[in-house]
Amino acid sequence: MTFTKTSQKFGQWADSRANTVYGLGFSSESHLSKFAEKFAEFKEAARLAKERSQEKTELTSTPSQESASAPGDLQSPLTSESINGTDEDRVTPNTPKHSKARAEPSQNALPFSHSSSSINKHWEAELAALKGNNAKLTAALLESTANVKQWKQQLGAYQEEAERLHKRVTELECVSGQTTAIKSQKTELNRTIEELELALKAKEEELERLKAEVESANEFRFQKDTLTQKLKETESRNQMLEVQLSDLEQRLESSQLERETYRNNLCSLLELLDSKIFELTELRDMLAKLMEGS
């Protein structure tokens, strides 16, 4: 597998065994360069490990192979995967020899299709992430809506209780004098009212927070719709470009055929012209001989 920089902040590599193309985007060009260097280092290390394992297999005999199968000499899965990867690297360099014989539009079509597919994968990944966030926010919104309804009911009950307590305090003040028992009961009722007011204030703050979460969920939904529209536009544009590319290839083939036909016609005309010139030369020689004889 060979890592290729397709732009200043994006690179990709292909796995021919899995028939898959992988791509990575980076925040800066320096990070992309560092990743490419590390990719090449691990690729070279895998190749050296492959060569060493082959040399060890050739030098060791059957008893040494049995001793090598002990638990202490087992290779790690990473090394075996890297060795398998080097086999693919040794095979893939032969493929560009066949691709060089293709026409020029075909060479330009391959990077273009890779870039468009990488853009589509990028938008699809963002869309999937937004769908997950949207599902979580929707669940939180439903739970928050149920909680809001419950809190509203509790708030109504608290308000009714507060009004009842206020009426009770008023009745107690009207019915009896300001005795010590009534004062303590009034203080207690006032404390209860304050606690209820604090609880009401906390519920209102929680309600405001839930409203903000609902607004953010709506924004995420809008972003999801926007990304979906962009993805559709990108796919339609990709299809249009593919149609244009195929049209250009057909035009190129037809122009090459016309050029070949024109060249063949010119060759036939040249041959005919050579024969006519030869005949005129013979006719001139004959006329010259006739003039000399006369």
Side-chain angles (χ1 to χ4, degrees):
M1 297 187 293
T2 302
F3 185 76
T4 305
K5 296 180 182 179
T6 57
S7 65
Q8 293 182 352
K9 295 183 180 180
F10 192 82
Q12 63 186 20
W13 70 94
D15 188 355
S16 59
R17 293 176 299 173
N19 196 15
T20 307
V21 178
Y22 301 96
L24 283 177
F26 297 87
S27 59
S28 63
E29 188 175 359
S30 61
H31 291 170
L32 176 60
S33 301
K34 289 180 181 178
F35 181 82
E37 292 174 359
K38 291 295 181 182
F39 195 95
E41 288 179 6
F42 280 103
K43 181 178 175 182
E44 183 66 18
R47 186 183 65 80
L48 293 175
K50 175 71 174 178
E51 293 177 355
R52 291 174 183 172
S53 63
Q54 289 179 351
E55 292 176 358
K56 186 176 179 181
T57 305
E58 292 175 357
L59 294 176
T60 55
S61 60
T62 304
S64 61
Q65 289 177 357
E66 292 177 357
S67 62
S69 63
D73 296 333
L74 289 176
Q75 293 181 354
S76 64
L78 179 61
T79 307
S80 61
E81 290 177 1
S82 302
I83 292 171
N84 293 330
T86 55
D87 293 335
E88 295 296 328
D89 293 336
R90 293 176 181 176
V91 176
T92 51
N94 295 325
T95 55
K97 294 181 180 179
H98 300 286
S99 61
K100 289 180 180 178
R102 297 181 181 175
E104 184 177 356
S106 299
Q107 294 176 354
N108 295 330
L110 184 59
F112 177 78
S113 62
H114 281 312
S115 61
S116 61
S117 63
S118 62
I119 292 172
N120 288 336
K121 288 181 179 179
H122 176 67
W123 286 118
E124 287 175 358
E126 289 192 1
L127 182 60
L130 285 175
K131 283 182 179 179
N133 293 332
N134 190 18
K136 293 179 181 179
L137 289 173
T138 303
L141 179 61
L142 293 175
E143 185 179 359
S144 301
T145 305
N147 292 332
V148 167
K149 290 181 180 179
Q150 186 178 0
W151 292 337
K152 284 183 178 179
Q153 292 176 358
Q154 292 179 357
L155 179 61
Y158 290 156
Q159 288 177 349
E160 292 176 359
E161 183 69 16
E163 291 178 358
R164 188 181 65 81
L165 291 174
H166 278 296
K167 289 180 180 179
R168 180 64 177 167
V169 169
T170 306
E171 289 175 359
L172 290 173
E173 288 179 351
C174 293
V175 170
S176 61
Q178 295 182 352
T179 60
T180 306
I182 293 175
K183 286 183 178 180
S184 62
Q185 190 175 4
K186 182 179 178 181
T187 305
E188 216 174 284
L189 290 173
N190 288 331
R191 189 182 299 112
T192 306
I193 291 171
E194 289 177 356
E195 291 176 355
L196 290 174
E197 287 178 351
L198 290 174
L200 178 61
K201 186 177 180 181
K203 297 299 181 182
E204 288 177 352
E205 291 177 354
E206 186 70 18
L207 184 61
E208 292 295 330
R209 187 181 64 81
L210 291 173
K211 287 182 179 179
E213 288 183 357
V214 170
E215 291 178 357
S216 64
N218 292 329
E219 291 179 358
F220 276 117
R221 189 179 291 114
F222 177 74
Q223 290 179 0
K224 183 194 76 173
D225 296 337
T226 305
L227 288 175
T228 305
Q229 185 65 26
K230 287 183 179 180
L231 180 60
K232 290 180 180 179
E233 292 176 357
T234 306
E235 289 177 351
S236 61
R237 185 178 179 185
N238 188 16
Q239 291 177 357
M240 290 174 61
L241 291 174
E242 287 179 354
V243 171
Q244 291 178 2
L245 180 62
S246 61
D247 189 15
L248 289 174
E249 289 178 352
Q250 292 177 358
R251 288 182 182 178
L252 180 61
E253 290 177 358
S254 62
S255 64
Q256 287 178 351
L257 291 174
E258 290 177 358
R259 185 177 179 183
E260 190 67 26
T261 305
Y262 181 70
R263 184 180 295 174
N264 293 331
N265 292 332
L266 285 178
C267 290
S268 60
L269 287 174
L270 286 173
E271 292 176 357
L272 181 61
L273 183 61
D274 290 337
S275 63
K276 294 296 182 181
I277 291 173
F278 182 73
E279 291 176 0
L280 289 174
T281 304
E282 289 182 350
L283 181 60
R284 179 181 176 281
D285 293 338
M286 290 175 61
L287 290 175
K289 289 179 181 179
L290 288 174
M291 288 177 65
E292 290 176 359
S294 62

